[in-house]
Amino acid sequence: DEGQSVKELQDMIKTASRNTMADINAMTDTVARLGLLARDAFKSTSEIVAFSELMQKVFVISGTEAQGRAAVMYQLSQAMASGRLQGDEFVSVMENASLLADKIAGYLGASKGELKKLASEGKITADVIKGALFTAAEDINKMYAQLPMTFGNVFQSFKNEAYIAFETVFQRMNQWLNSAQGAAVIQAITMAIYFAASAANVFLSL
């Protein structure tokens, strides 16, 4: 959004990750990819974050594994950028995000079986995908809220909170590593490693 700070965007992504117990780095990558490839399909970065959050809930409800989620979001980003869902992108959504396919069919007043034909005709546009997802938001949120908590969810939540808690520490470490002092220490450690390897070679040759 115009006038929106980086921190505000980061805070929205953190909230979305907490709401879905999704990996915060994966959520950040999703938002960044959609913002880079498909910015014209969205009204604002807030809408991109909301879209990403709903998609993570769709994945959980659909039982999509992490690898499948990454594949779908990549294909979906391509579809949103091109303006329509078809071809390999359509197949990926059908296989890994069945709930989204159901919502698109309902939004278009069609059966799920008719989606392939509609996709080939270019009728599953970026606006249709977005409209279907946001129209079904209340239903998706209700279904997500009824799901039982899993150990994997809790563990991911702990990982996210640890990442957020140590974020400023990581930033300071990065700043130090890129400073003259940090570079000197890294060089010294590197030289020590090579010295130790050389000494080991000499010892083993005795």
Side-chain angles (χ1 to χ4, degrees), residues 19 29 31 53 105 119 127 130 138 145-146 151 160 181:
N19 290 343
D29 288 345
V31 171
E53 178 178 333
D127 284 341
K130 194 174 70 170
E138 184 176 353
Q146 292 170 359
F151 178 77
N160 285 344
Q181 184 183 23

Side-chain angles (χ1 to χ4, degrees), residues 3 10 14 18 41 50 57 70 82 94 111 128 132 138 140 154 196:
Q10 290 174 335
K14 289 174 187 175
R18 282 176 169 141
K57 290 177 179 177
S82 66
M94 289 294 287
S111 69
V128 165
E138 184 176 353
I140 291 170
V154 175

